[in-house]
């Protein structure tokens, strides 16, 4: 495991006056490491320290901020293999999924560094109005202030990066709270960033981490001195954070039950491959994993036949083995809930095409046919390797069924028709429409986020940096 100082990075140093709790390997429950557990007092200390350096962080020059970001990327690259091993142990995700997480993390830090040069304002012709004759006007983008970043357990290194990198790029100090089950990657990342910050003249307090329970999070998000709260997690918690944080700015990347539409003219082999790749990566614990597959009726039988023939390719087992594609969920409670939803769907009339049982501590890749639309396995976020399939007469009916969800993060459509593709882009009420690829496709140079109960605001370095700055108007009469 990579090394970092003991305790919590709060204030200029590391606080060791914390409780500790074990982090365990989700696959077999074995001990990974002891992690510090913070309390409300640590949250208060981090808030005080963060507020105290808002001005100093805002004065760190663009060049220094860019060098901090690039130095972090360089050290992460040097420790790439250790990071993969740490994520496997902490999250229980497969080796291939943890490798993808590290690679995306590296890209995000370098992309954020590039965006520093593009964070600027512009001049404005004030004499468009008679009252502005002879005046000079321009606007700049200024840091929003102290940022609170709260991340989920499923991609701890990447999600912490999505909070910390844009904040540093924007010139904002940030306090990050990781999920209680997966604090190790965030603590290690914070140490790297703090050392890079100090090396380039920024305060160590530019990045702090506080672990702990919901009371810690509540203390952080309700402080009136906070400039913005960025949260990734469940819809229920996100909605509560928005209420608690008001009127401060909230960026909410919440849950979903992503749909994949297979049109009558689709490349069926490609669509089935997307269901296999998109429904079960990350052990199904991804907000844009395929959960709902909506198939136009004329090709339903062919899709089911192809899916049944290939789903056995998804090897279940120990996430440390390179060939494993699906492993245990984060804990027993998550497994029990998902199995309960599968049983509920079957009892309500759905039928199993595959799976529905635990194999080698993991839920076997599960495919349900004709899940009633009001059952949780269809209309809520199952966050497990479970996919439901329903058929509809045509793509118009498919698009209507996609939008019946209270969520709206990503959806994908498989079609050979350019007209259908653009109709999906123009029609679907989601944050992102992906054509002929998995809904989980996400580029960190694009705006990422949802609508409806899937949240507000956009991530991706360029867009997150903009979210964490405010436009300041300047008007001069010479």
């Amino acid at each position: 495991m990579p090394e970092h100082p003991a305790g919590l990075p709060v204030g200029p140093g590391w606080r060791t006056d914390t409780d500790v709790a074990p982090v365990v390997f989700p696959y077999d429950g074995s001990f990974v490491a002891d992690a510090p557990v913070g309390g409300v007092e640590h949250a208060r200390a981090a808030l005080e320290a963060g507020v105290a350096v808002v001005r100093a962080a805002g004065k760190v020059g663009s060049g220094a901020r860019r060098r901090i970001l690039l130095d972090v990327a360089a050290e992460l690259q040097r420790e790439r293999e250790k990071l993969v091993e740490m994520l496997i142990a902490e999250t229980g995700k497969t080796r291939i999924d943890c490798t993808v997480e590290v690679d995306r993390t590296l890209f995000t830090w370098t992309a954020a560094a590039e965006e520093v040069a593009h964070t600027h304002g512009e001049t404005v012709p004030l004499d468009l109005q008679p009252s502005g004759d002879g005046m000079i006007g321009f606007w700049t983008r200024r840091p929003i202030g102290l940022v609170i970043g709260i991340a989920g357990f499923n991609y701890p290194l990447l999600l912490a990066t999505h909070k910390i990198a844009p904040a540093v790029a924007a010139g904002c100090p940030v306090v990050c709270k990781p999920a209680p089950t997966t604090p190790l990657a965030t603590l290690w990342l914070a140490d790297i960033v703090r050392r890079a910050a100090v090396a380039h003249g920024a305060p160590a307090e530019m990045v702090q981490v506080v672990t702990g329970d919901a009371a810690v999070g509540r203390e952080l998000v309700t402080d009136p001195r906070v400039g913005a709260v960025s949260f990734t997690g469940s819809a229920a918690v996100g909605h509560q954070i928005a209420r608690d944080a008001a009127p401060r700015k909230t960026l909410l990347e919440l849950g979903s039950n992503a749909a994949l539409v297979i049109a009558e003219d689709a490349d069926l082999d490609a669509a089935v491959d997307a269901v296999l790749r998109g429904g079960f990566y990350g052990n199904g614990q991804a907000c844009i994993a395929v959960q709902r597959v909506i198939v136009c009726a004329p090709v339903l039988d062919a899709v089911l036949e192809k899916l049944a023939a290939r789903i056995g390719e998804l090897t279940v087992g120990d996430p440390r083995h390179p060939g494993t594609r699906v492993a245990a969920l984060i804990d027993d409670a998550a497994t029990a809930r998902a199995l309960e939803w599968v049983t509920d769907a079957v009892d309500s009339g759905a039928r199993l095409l595959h799976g529905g049982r635990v194999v080698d501590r993991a839920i076997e890749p599960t495919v349900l046919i004709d899940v009633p639309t009001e059952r949780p396995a269809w209309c809520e976020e199952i966050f497990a390797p479970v996919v439901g399939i329903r058929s509809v007469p045509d793509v118009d009916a498919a698009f209507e069924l996609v939008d019946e969800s209270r969520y709206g993060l990503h959806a994908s459509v498989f079609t050979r028709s350019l007209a259908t593709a653009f109709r999906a882009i123009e029609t679907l009420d989601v944050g992102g429409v992906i054509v002929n690829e998995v809904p989980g496709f996400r580029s960190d140079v694009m705006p990422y986020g949802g609508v409806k109960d899937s949240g507000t605001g956009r991530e991706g370095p360029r867009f997150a940096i903009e979210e964490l700055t405010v436009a300041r108007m300047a008007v001069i009469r010479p």
Side-chain angles (χ1 to χ4, degrees), residues 421-469:
F422 274 97
R423 192 155 81 253
I425 292 167
E426 294 167 359
T427 300
L428 294 178
D429 192 13
V430 294
V433 177
I434 317 297
V435 178
N436 294 333
E437 189 45 275
V438 295
F441 178 83
R442 175 177 175 180
S443 170
D444 287 309
V445 295
M446 295 281 276
Y448 174 75
V451 297
K452 300 191 286 188
D453 279 2
S454 287
T456 59
R458 291 296 180 263
E459 289 188 340
R462 173 185 173 185
F463 305 94
I465 294 168
E466 185 171 305
E467 297 274 16
L468 298 181
T469 58

Side-chain angles (χ1 to χ4, degrees), residues 136-153:
I136 298 168
F138 62 94
W139 59 269
T140 59
R141 300 210 69 89
R142 303 298 302 164
I144 200 168
L146 178 60
V147 175
I148 304 300
I150 302 178
F153 69 82

